[in-house]
Amino acid sequence: MRVLWLSPWMRTLSRVHVEALRDAGHDCLLITSDQHYEKMRPLPYERVLDPRPKDPRTIAPLLRTVREVRAWRPSVVVVELVWDPRWLMLARLAPMVHLVHDDAPHDETELRPAWQRRLFSGFSNRAKRVIAFSDYVAKQLPYPASVVPLTSDVREQDLPPFAEDRRDFVLYGRMSPYKNVPVALKAWEKHLLSGQHKGDRLILLGDGPLDVSEQDLPPRCEWRRERYSYAEVLPVLGRAKGSVVHYRQASQSGVQLLSMQLGVTPIVSDSGGLPEFQPPGEPGIGVDDVDGLADAFAALSDPDAANRRGEASRQHFERTYSAGLVGGKLAEVLAHAAV
C-alpha cells in the first residue's frame, strides 16, 4: 500500500506507526507539523507544514504538498487529530481512515471550539473506517470502530538501558486537572509518615495549568515545571520504581505505555486507568483512595518488588503493544479501506 498519514500534532507517535508500516513493506508519506513539543529534523518520508489557517504564507507550501501527494497516488489516507480545514484537500486524495484517540475531552482544559468539533465529527462520518486505540473508547463512540492497540511514541532504539538501580516515583506529563495530582500529593505525604519510606522522591515532571504552588508540595517532592524532551525524560522515568498515572478520567495514556515499555510499573486509578492496558496483577486503585495509593508507594518502595513488577510490565508491553505488533494490526485495517 501507499499510505498517506496526516498528523499535525501526534508527530512522534505517527512516526512510530509509519516506520512500523514501512518495516512491513508499505510505502508511506507523513504530513505533519512542528507543533509537537519534541522538536525533530524532518525524515525523508515526512513533509512538515505550518497548520495555521489564517496565515497566507502557509498556503503555497500546502498546495505544493497537495500536488506532490496527488502525483504519488496514495492507496489510503490516515487522518489523526487534524483541525485545519484546508487539509481536507489531502484527506480526499484516497479512501480515508480516521484515528480517534479519545471519545471526549478529559477536562475543561481540553475542550475544543465548536467548529473544530464539527470538523472532527465530519472526518469520522466520511471515513471508510474509524480506528480507536481501546475497546473502552470504541464502545463510547456513536459509530462502529475497529480497535488497534496503542503503542508508545518512543522507538525501541531510543530507549535507555534497562535500569537495575531503581529510585523515586515519577508523575510525568502535562499537569491538567484530570491528572488527579492533589490526591497523589496527599498519598505521598501519608507514605512519608508511614514508616515505609525508603528515601525516594516524588518527581512531578511537566508543565500545565495545574494550580499548585511550591509551598503546597509535601517533603521529598519536587515539581520540575517545564516541557522536556524525551532525551531528558527517559533517564528519569526509566529508573523510577513506579509511574503515577492515577487519573480521574479514563485515558488511553501514552505515559502508561511508555512506563511499561521502560520496565516501570504504572500506578493507575480504577476510573482513569483502562483495565485492558494494565499488566496482569496490577489492578486500579480508587480515584480518591489516598490510603490505597500510599500503600502502592510502600509496596513498590522495595527495590526487588519494583524490579520484578517492572519486568512484568515490560513483558506485557512487548506482548501486547509493541510497534511491530501494532503495525501489523493497523495494516490489516488499512488494507480493507485502501483502493
Side-chain angles (χ1 to χ4, degrees):
M1 289 182 293
R2 291 183 303 280
V3 180
L4 174 63
W5 199 290
L6 309 181
S7 184
W9 172 240
M10 304 295 291
R11 187 175 179 183
T12 55
L13 180 60
S14 59
R15 276 183 166 193
V16 172
H17 283 138
V18 162
E19 290 180 9
L21 291 170
R22 284 164 57 90
D23 289 344
H26 304 288
D27 198 5
C28 300
L29 188 60
L30 170 61
I31 313 298
T32 185
S33 78
D34 64 355
Q35 290 183 103
H36 198 281
Y37 57 82
E38 185 83 0
K39 300 308 177 186
M40 299 159 280
R41 293 181 178 178
L43 294 171
Y45 59 76
E46 282 185 304
R47 303 294 180 269
V48 183
L49 298 177
D50 187 330
R52 291 176 294 180
K54 295 182 180 180
D55 189 338
R57 294 172 298 179
T58 66
I59 296 175
L62 174 63
L63 293 178
R64 283 197 300 270
T65 302
V66 171
R67 287 194 294 269
E68 177 190 1
V69 174
R70 184 177 285 121
W72 185 63
R73 299 183 64 186
S75 311
V76 63
V77 55
V78 177
V79 175
E80 180 179 30
L81 297 183
V82 171
W83 307 111
D84 186 341
R86 301 173 308 163
W87 284 36
L88 284 167
M89 290 186 288
L90 292 160
R92 290 169 174 161
L93 294 178
M96 183 172 61
V97 173
H98 192 201
L99 266 63
V100 178
H101 281 253
D102 292 293
D103 58 297
H106 292 119
D107 57 44
E108 65 278 3
T109 67
E110 295 188 356
L111 187 63
R112 291 277 183 173
W115 70 267
Q116 290 189 355
R117 298 198 299 272
R118 288 194 297 271
L119 179 65
F120 188 81
S121 297
F123 280 129
S124 290
N125 292 332
R126 288 192 297 270
K128 197 166 182 182
R129 288 290 180 105
V130 174
I131 292 178
F133 289 118
S134 68
D135 291 326
Y136 173 85
V137 168
K139 291 175 182 176
Q140 310 304 313
L141 296 175
Y143 32 75
S146 303
V147 176
V148 173
L150 187 62
T151 190
S152 168
D153 61 354
V154 176
R155 301 179 304 175
E156 284 288 321
Q157 60 262 42
D158 296 331
L159 297 177
F162 189 79
E164 296 291 343
D165 180 22
R166 297 197 170 273
R167 59 186 182 274
D168 302 329
F169 293 82
V170 175
L171 201 166
Y172 162 61
R174 186 172 185 270
M175 298 298 166
S176 300
Y178 83 93
K179 296 293 180 70
N180 207 24
V181 175
V183 170
L185 297 181
K186 290 178 184 177
W188 182 251
E189 194 162 21
K190 191 173 186 66
H191 170 58
L192 295 178
L193 298 172
S194 69
Q196 300 184 72
H197 177 249
K198 293 182 171 60
D200 299 302
R201 297 168 296 172
L202 175 61
I203 301 173
L204 278 61
L205 202 61
D207 201 359
L210 183 69
D211 186 18
V212 174
S213 68
E214 293 291 332
Q215 292 74 22
D216 294 330
L217 298 178
R220 301 293 297 168
C221 178
E222 57 186 79
W223 186 358
R224 302 178 188 177
R225 192 169 189 167
E226 56 184 283
R227 288 185 172 184
Y228 291 91
S229 68
Y230 279 126
E232 296 167 310
V233 168
L234 295 177
V236 180
L237 181 59
R239 68 169 182 252
K241 292 179 175 177
S243 173
V244 184
V245 201
H246 192 256
Y247 301 161
R248 299 202 70 83
Q249 298 293 330
S251 174
Q252 297 169 152
S253 172
V255 177
Q256 187 178 359
L257 288 170
L258 176 59
S259 301
M260 293 191 293
Q261 185 186 25
L262 289 165
V264 178
T265 303
I267 305 171
V268 306
S269 74
D270 56 0
S271 59
L274 303 184
E276 61 193 278
F277 277 35
Q278 273 297 89
E282 297 289 347
I285 300 163
V287 70
D288 291 309
D289 186 356
V290 172
D291 291 342
L293 188 50
D295 290 342
F297 288 137
L300 283 167
S301 291
D302 177 70
D304 291 336
N307 275 320
R308 183 180 66 255
R309 291 166 62 183
E311 175 58 25
S313 296
R314 167 75 175 171
Q315 292 177 7
H316 178 63
F317 175 88
E318 291 178 342
R319 289 192 300 265
T320 317
Y321 301 106
S322 65
L325 184 150
V326 170
K329 295 185 176 182
L330 182 61
E332 291 179 11
V333 178
L334 299 184
H336 286 294
V339 174

